[in-house]
Amino acid sequence: MTEDNGPISPSSALESGRSIRTRAKARCARRRSGRAPTTVAAAAAALTLLAALGPAPSSAASPPAPPPPSAPRPAVPPRFIPGPCPAPSEPISALSTARCGFLEVPENRARPGGRTIRLAVAVIPATSAKPATDPVVFMAGGPGADTFDDIPFLVDSGLNRDRELIIMAQRGNLYAQPHLACPEMDRFTAKAVGLPYAAPSTERLLLDAVKTCRDRLTAAGIDLSAYNTTENAADFADLRTAMGLPSWNVYGYSYGSDLALTYLRKHPQGIRAVAIDSVAPPRTTRLPVTWRSAHEGIDSLLKACAAEPRCKSRYPGLRRTLTEQVRRLEAQPLTLNARPPRGGDPVKVVLDGGALLNLLVANAVPATDVPAALEELAHGRPERFARARAADSLQTVGEWAHGLTESVACSEWVPGTSAADLLNAGRRAFPGWPDTVLAQAPQLPFQHEVCRVWNVPDRTAAQRVTTVSAIPTLIVSGTFDTKTGASLARDAARTLSRSTSVQIPGIGHWVVPQSPCAQHVLASFLASPTVPPDTVCVGGLAPKPFTIIPK
């Protein structure tokens, strides 16, 4: 294992990282009754599945009600229980025809007879009149993202065209019970746009929020050590058997690829084919690799500009401009008021070197606009970056499952790495940048300190294991991906003997919803996974033209 191997960075967590989700939601707003991006939604997500089920009618003759899922109970086999679909505050049309329920499983399989948890499940019907009998099960990114929020992108990408699509909330996520939300951390994120990115005062506020959330979750009896990728993978294995499915296909992106590869390694039975998108291999999920991915994605974008004559002519020396602006802002941060991109009152934002780097990694400014935004910044016009920074001031409080995020990161990604490892990886990625920027993992600032507070057991021996498999696998990457760099796909492919790797130029994190070509390749693969998929469309692809502003 090399020194700089490491994880997907959830801006989640994380996926402010949520950038693909933010931009895609904006594009799909009309189809989804105006749903706002995750980072700017005005209301918290609605009812959990249990609330939708409602209380049982009371009667003296009725048998006693079963204990709630959080109470200790005798060991029972995992079971799927039909029930109503989750009810998001802004409806998802595909759920209107779905079959739903929840999977009941142990919270910690190492503790027989302990408490059980419930994971919401939806089966989206196929649009084909004669669908295949093997469905696709989806593994979402994050960790901690609302899986159900991804349904419109999956449907628009054709995942349920020829077979049913199965969605399950990962343990701890929205619509699971318990839901490991941390409103304290959401409120910190909203406030942090007006704070220096890596200042000690910012760190203290973050750690206070983390401790408050951890204390609240553990006081409720939640076993944080049980919220990990091994248990997540076992949940999916239990779902297949509980639903009586002899076989299915797996599609996961970002953290979901980490989960899918763990699932493939530990529970290969019944897997017909696996597709992973924006890949984070378990063997290489270590904190310092965030710098490797950031460098790859940004470097690919800069090279694409240099290869486009109009972009090269208008923005010469773009790499030098980026370095100069990171150094300048870190030495003299800008404080200004900016209006969030999707509306609202102007808010105070601080732009320093760390904030600029993280906006690029989060793809908060669309890739096609990055050269123009850097040129404007260099000439005293920081508005594009300031508006992008202001976006996080409007948080959907209580939706993201930070409890799952931190439990996975702190047990699987961070142990065995040091602050020196992280800084050295940053120096290799961006020579000449200030150490104050390079000391923090992109999208995961102060993560070593956060993990000391979160305090879950080291699980690296169980998780940082290479997946070796001959099950047909499709690996999809985007050249502009700054969170899970395209080279990580090569790491995964080395031990997947029947894998096909596809790289889509000019696309960032979570490729399939953004690329009709990738959608075609995925459909071809799922139709006949034992033969090479149709990848002809990839050969004619190029990044979209960059925005050219007047001189």
Side-chain angles (χ1 to χ4, degrees):
M1 181 181 298
T2 60
E3 184 181 48
D4 64 344
N5 288 341
I8 149 188
S9 74
S11 90
S12 68
L14 322 147
E15 255 159 15
S16 153
R18 309 182 190 177
S19 57
I20 161 64
R21 299 161 61 84
T22 298
R23 295 195 323 280
K25 286 176 182 176
R27 290 197 299 269
C28 296
R30 287 186 297 276
R31 291 192 295 272
R32 297 191 56 199
S33 304
R35 178 154 179 94
T38 298
T39 52
V40 298
L47 302 174
T48 63
L49 179 60
L50 188 62
L53 291 174
S58 61
S59 169
S62 300
S70 60
R73 61 176 65 193
V76 294
R79 55 179 181 158
F80 176 75
I81 304 171
C85 293
S89 57
E90 297 182 19
I92 296 173
S93 61
L95 288 178
S96 65
T97 56
R99 305 190 315 275
C100 295
F102 60 84
L103 179 72
E104 188 173 72
V105 292
E107 182 180 53
N108 189 332
R109 290 172 173 83
R111 298 176 181 173
R115 58 189 265 161
T116 59
I117 61 176
R118 291 175 173 180
L119 312 178
V121 177
V123 181
I124 311 297
T127 59
S128 170
K130 295 182 178 180
T133 58
D134 44 274
V136 178
V137 64
F138 174 61
M139 297 181 178
D146 169 15
T147 306
F148 284 75
D149 208 29
D150 290 334
I151 290 174
F153 311 128
L154 300 172
V155 170
D156 287 350
S157 299
L159 265 294
N160 69 322
R161 183 179 299 124
D162 299 315
R163 45 186 39 85
E164 290 181 329
L165 171 64
I166 298 176
I167 304 295
M168 182 169 74
Q170 294 169 25
R171 54 176 49 216
N173 281 2
L174 187 65
Y175 308 123
Q177 294 199 357
H179 175 207
L180 272 58
C182 291
E184 306 87 348
M185 295 177 69
D186 294 327
R187 288 189 283 267
F188 163 80
T189 299
K191 184 176 183 178
V193 302
L195 304 173
Y197 185 78
S201 55
T202 304
E203 176 187 359
R204 286 192 295 272
L205 290 173
L206 171 60
L207 297 184
D208 286 346
V210 171
K211 184 178 186 303
T212 301
C213 181
R214 187 191 191 283
D215 289 349
R216 179 174 48 77
L217 294 178
T218 54
I222 294 169
D223 179 3
L224 294 177
S225 70
Y227 292 82
N228 59 63
T229 307
T230 295
E231 293 282 8
N232 252 347
D235 294 339
F236 281 90
D238 284 343
L239 177 65
R240 185 184 67 81
T241 56
M243 296 185 76
L245 297 171
S247 68
W248 64 8
N249 307 277
V250 176
Y251 170 58
Y253 87 95
S254 197
Y255 168 72
S257 71
D258 185 337
L259 175 56
L261 289 170
T262 302
Y263 175 65
L264 178 60
R265 172 171 61 88
K266 298 183 75 69
H267 306 280
Q269 302 83 3
I271 301 178
R272 174 177 177 262
V274 175
I276 47 179
D277 181 335
S278 305
V279 182
R283 180 73 171 94
T284 53
T285 52
R286 297 176 71 237
L287 192 62
V289 114
T290 54
W291 281 115
R292 170 179 160 190
S293 293
H295 173 263
E296 285 185 20
I298 292 173
D299 186 63
S300 180
L301 188 154
L302 298 177
K303 286 179 177 177
C305 177
E308 182 186 302
R310 292 177 70 242
C311 191
K312 180 180 180 179
S313 174
R314 179 63 185 88
Y315 312 117
L318 195 59
R319 191 181 307 273
R320 181 180 64 252
T321 299
L322 172 59
T323 297
E324 289 173 349
Q325 293 313 302
V326 170
R327 293 176 63 87
R328 179 178 69 85
L329 288 176
E330 192 66 4
Q332 295 179 313
L334 293 177
T335 299
L336 61 160
N337 291 324
R339 192 181 300 276
R342 294 184 64 82
D345 295 333
V347 297
K348 172 189 169 185
V349 300
V350 173
L351 280 179
D352 54 17
L356 176 58
L357 179 277
N358 278 272
L359 290 170
L360 294 174
V361 172
N363 204 10
V365 173
T368 53
D369 292 345
V370 166
L374 288 172
E375 175 73 7
E376 290 169 343
L377 180 63
H379 288 84
R381 301 193 301 277
E383 289 79 15
R384 288 189 204 245
F385 286 116
R387 287 194 301 270
R389 179 90 160 124
D392 275 347
S393 67
L394 300 177
Q395 291 286 310
T396 302
V397 175
E399 179 179 279
W400 192 276
H402 295 279
L404 178 62
T405 302
E406 300 306 342
S407 292
V408 170
C410 295
S411 66
E412 301 174 12
W413 301 348
V414 172
T417 70
S418 67
D421 295 332
L422 188 61
L423 177 59
N424 288 334
R427 287 170 172 169
R428 288 192 297 272
F430 296 101
W433 284 25
D435 281 356
T436 49
V437 173
L438 303 177
Q440 305 299 331
Q443 301 290 284
L444 293 168
F446 310 113
Q447 193 61 47
H448 285 100
E449 294 78 9
V450 165
C451 288
R452 281 194 285 273
V453 173
W454 201 255
N455 190 27
V456 288
D458 180 342
R459 299 195 64 263
T460 54
Q463 182 60 22
R464 288 186 195 159
V465 180
T466 300
T467 299
V468 180
S469 178
I471 291 175
T473 303
L474 175 67
I475 305 173
V476 182
S477 301
T479 60
F480 286 2
D481 191 346
T482 49
K483 300 175 193 171
T484 52
S487 70
L488 295 178
R490 295 194 295 271
D491 293 351
R494 291 188 185 104
T495 55
L496 302 173
S497 60
R498 299 175 71 189
S499 64
T500 299
S501 293
V502 174
Q503 194 172 104
I504 305 298
I507 299 292
H509 202 58
W510 197 10
V511 177
V512 166
Q514 302 181 78
S515 169
C517 176
Q519 294 165 21
H520 173 80
V521 173
L522 177 58
S524 169
F525 170 73
L526 291 175
S528 301
T530 58
V531 300
D534 180 5
T535 60
V536 172
C537 63
V538 179
L541 295 177
K544 293 180 181 179
F546 290 97
T547 300
I548 305 299
I549 58 175
K551 290 188 177 181

